[in-house]
């Protein structure tokens, strides 16, 4: 009898090992920061959607947000941002990352990110994110050290002075497992 | 012996199950993965071959998502029109930015003869005025007026994407145009009247005497419009 149980367990082992889990992005706030000698501006978007699929101990995450959903409080600036980032031609910012499922319980993770934006793909290695788990929700926050040069974006200028190359993007996300 | 046989069968079953499972994933996800790549590249048909020297996600990122399990853009539920590029709108935005850049440059250039015209007004009116002073003032005013008209043309003719709602400092910038626009029409007319009266040896009188106050209001509104988009208040 014990042998039969052992055989059954051995047969079921692959099924358990490859049990898939999924994560869904519940809330997200993305804030880009642009600096010019005369003033600084921030654009905020709450329109991101995301999904994580775990398989064999690894989780693939995908987060996407429409470029035009970023609101800086100035319609002229937003339209200009859309133009310089070629946001009508490449309307989505897509972020992909892969994390070990066991990392999702840690307080800090370092993620390798792949960001598609403005028709270009940039990679950011070991970007730190803070994780806080409450109930079945996991809040993740961090800053992506993006620059205009990473995406071959010509720096917009005001009064002939271009903005700074750095456009860090603050990420605040709340995920929950399905 | 029976136990060993059972164990061997079990191990082989596990291996077989594993192989079949991975084979099934490969064969099922092959086309899916390739279509996923097409879908995750926004507006693939509109892209003018982006200058990507980087291969696809799974190819060279150390811990890049595997193509077999990674979620795709279609999984996120965005409407298709939100994820597909629109070359027409991009062209419209490009034209708009190009025209507004010219508007900005010309606006800054216009400031120079405008300020110079204000300063030269000291020699054009009052008791110490001279015909040379009036001519210099007139010439500077005319240059400022012409440049202003060209500047305004580029702002008025710049295309605006449908559904755009004006928000922020640009609202004030546009509101100021309702003051400096009529002012830039009225000021030279009043100036011409004042010039004529002064040239005839008359004291500036009637509506022509409003030339200076109108010019001051106009220049003030122009300056406020310029500052409103230059500095954050």
């Amino acid at each position: 009898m014990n042998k039969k149980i052992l055989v059954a367990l051995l047969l079921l082992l692959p099924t358990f090992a490859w049990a898939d889990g999924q994560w869904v992005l519940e809330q997200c706030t993305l804030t880009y920061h642009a600096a010019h000698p005369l003033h600084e501006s921030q654009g905020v978007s709450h329109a991101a959607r995301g999904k994580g699929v775990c398989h064999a101990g690894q989780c693939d995450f995908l987060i996407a947000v429409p470029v035009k959903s970023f609101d800086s409080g100035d319609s002229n600036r937003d339209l200009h941002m859309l133009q310089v980032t070629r946001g009508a031609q490449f309307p989505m910012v897509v972020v992909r990352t892969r994390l070990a499922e066991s990392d999702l319980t840690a307080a800090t993770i370092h993620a390798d990110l792949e960001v598609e934006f403005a028709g270009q793909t940039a990679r950011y290695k070991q970007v730190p994110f803070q994780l806080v788990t409450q109930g079945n929700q996991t809040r993740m926050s961090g800053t992506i050290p993006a620059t205009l040069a990473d995406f071959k974006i010509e720096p917009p200028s005001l009064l002939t002075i271009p903005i700074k190359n750095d456009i860090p993007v603050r990420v605040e996300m709340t995920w929950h497992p399905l | 012996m029976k136990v060993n046989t059972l164990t061997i069968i079990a191990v082989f079953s596990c291996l077989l199950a594993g192989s079949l499972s991975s084979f099934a994933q490969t064969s099922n996800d092959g086309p899916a993965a390739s279509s996923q790549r097409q879908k995750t590249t926004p507006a693939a048909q509109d892209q003018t071959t982006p200058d990507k020297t980087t291969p696809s996600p799974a190819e060279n990122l150390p811990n890049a998502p595997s193509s077999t399990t990674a979620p795709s853009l279609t999984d996120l539920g965005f409407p298709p029109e939100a994820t597909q590029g629109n070359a027409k709108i991009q062209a419209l935005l490009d034209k708009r930015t190009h025209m507004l850049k010219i508007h900005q440059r010309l606006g800054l250039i216009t400031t120079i003869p405008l300020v110079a015209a204000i300063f030269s007004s000291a020699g054009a009116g009052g008791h110490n005025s001279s015909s040379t002073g009036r001519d210099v003032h007139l010439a500077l005013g005319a240059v400022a007026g012409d440049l202003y008209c060209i500047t305004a043309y580029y702002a008025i003719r710049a295309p605006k994407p449908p559904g755009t709602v004006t928000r922020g400092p640009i609202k004030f910038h546009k509101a100021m145009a309702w003051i400096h626009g009529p002012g830039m029409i009225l000021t030279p007319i009043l100036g011409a009247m004042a010039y004529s009266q002064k040239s005839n040896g008359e004291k500036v009188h009637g509506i022509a005497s409003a030339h200076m106050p109108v010019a001051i209001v106009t220049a003030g509104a122009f300056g406020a419009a310029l500052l409103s988009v230059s500095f954050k208040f």
Side-chain angles (χ1 to χ4, degrees):
Chain A
M1 187 61 181
N2 284 342
K3 287 165 201 160
K4 281 182 183 172
I5 292 166
L6 180 72
V7 170
L9 280 173
L10 282 167
L11 285 167
L12 287 170
L13 193 63
T15 319
F16 286 121
W18 297 329
D20 288 352
Q22 288 197 2
W23 290 80
V24 172
L25 184 60
E26 197 175 287
Q27 278 182 337
C28 182
T29 302
L30 299 168
T31 311
Y32 75 78
H33 187 95
H36 184 271
L38 293 178
H39 59 200
E40 300 199 345
S41 59
Q42 292 184 331
V44 184
S45 173
H46 303 285
R49 294 182 190 183
K51 191 179 177 182
V53 176
C54 300
H55 182 79
Q58 294 289 315
C59 297
D60 291 319
F61 285 94
L62 173 77
I63 302 116
V65 60
V67 181
K68 68 176 180 184
S69 66
F70 284 90
D71 182 3
S72 71
D74 182 342
S75 58
N76 195 47
R77 188 191 295 128
D78 292 340
L79 282 175
H80 193 44
M81 180 276 286
L82 208 58
Q83 188 272 326
V84 292
T85 61
R86 300 181 291 283
Q89 198 176 358
F90 305 101
M92 303 297 287
V93 184
V94 182
V95 182
R96 289 185 180 87
T97 190
R98 186 179 225 203
L99 299 167
E101 203 166 3
S102 55
D103 286 351
L104 299 174
T105 52
T108 305
I109 53 163
H110 289 83
D112 288 352
L113 306 177
E114 182 183 82
V115 182
E116 274 179 39
F117 175 41
Q120 303 294 324
T121 302
R123 291 174 175 80
Y124 300 94
K125 292 193 174 183
Q126 299 294 298
V127 179
F129 284 92
Q130 279 70 51
L131 267 69
V132 176
T133 303
Q134 282 179 329
N136 72 338
Q137 288 184 333
T138 300
R139 278 188 289 140
M140 204 183 262
S141 58
T143 302
I144 303 171
T147 68
L148 294 171
D150 292 339
F151 302 98
K152 297 182 179 173
I153 296 168
E154 192 188 336
S157 58
L158 178 66
L159 303 176
T160 71
I161 307 163
I163 67 164
K164 285 183 186 171
N165 186 40
D166 296 316
I167 44 158
V169 181
R170 179 79 189 152
V171 180
E172 308 272 353
M173 299 183 287
T174 305
W175 292 84
H176 71 81
L178 264 186
Chain B
M1 184 64 187
K2 201 177 176 184
V3 176
N4 284 344
T5 315
L6 276 171
T7 312
I8 290 163
I9 290 167
V11 168
F12 269 100
S13 302
C14 289
L15 289 170
L16 188 67
S19 315
L20 283 173
S21 168
S22 59
F23 176 74
Q25 279 177 5
T26 315
S27 58
N28 285 343
D29 294 342
S34 61
S35 69
Q36 171 194 318
R37 195 163 297 152
Q38 281 174 356
K39 285 168 189 167
T40 51
T41 308
Q45 69 276 20
D46 291 328
Q47 289 173 17
T48 52
T49 322
D51 192 11
K52 270 189 194 179
T53 49
T54 49
S56 67
E59 281 168 20
N60 68 352
L61 196 69
N63 53 1
S66 63
S67 59
T68 51
T69 58
S72 72
L73 203 56
T74 47
D75 294 339
L76 302 182
F78 284 107
E81 63 272 15
T83 58
Q84 282 165 6
N86 189 324
K88 268 188 180 176
I89 297 285
Q90 188 62 54
L92 187 100
L93 287 169
D94 289 344
K95 189 182 176 186
R96 179 181 181 277
T97 294
H98 174 70
M99 291 187 78
L100 291 179
K101 269 184 180 175
I102 296 173
H103 167 73
Q104 193 191 90
R105 277 181 203 154
L106 284 174
L108 286 171
I109 293 166
T110 306
T111 313
I112 299 163
L114 195 71
V115 170
I118 292 166
F119 280 105
S120 67
S121 65
H127 300 293
N128 300 325
S129 63
S130 65
S131 64
T132 310
R134 280 196 294 277
D135 289 342
V136 169
H137 180 66
L138 178 113
L140 287 167
V143 171
D146 289 346
L147 281 169
Y148 176 89
C149 289
I150 303 166
T151 306
Y153 168 84
Y154 279 95
I156 293 162
R157 297 293 296 170
K160 198 174 166 184
T164 306
V165 181
T166 307
R167 284 174 293 107
I170 195 68
K171 219 170 176 178
F172 180 79
H173 182 80
K174 284 183 175 181
M176 285 295 104
W178 290 102
I179 299 171
H180 61 68
M184 284 300 279
I185 297 167
L186 209 58
T187 304
I189 294 168
L190 297 172
M193 289 166 75
Y195 184 89
S196 171
Q197 289 171 6
K198 206 75 171 151
S199 298
N200 292 335
E202 299 169 25
K203 197 183 172 196
V204 178
H205 60 275
I207 196 171
S209 58
H211 170 67
M212 197 166 82
V214 170
I216 288 168
V217 171
T218 302
F222 184 88
L226 188 109
L227 292 173
S228 69
V229 287
S230 306
F231 298 96
K232 200 168 189 176
F233 294 102

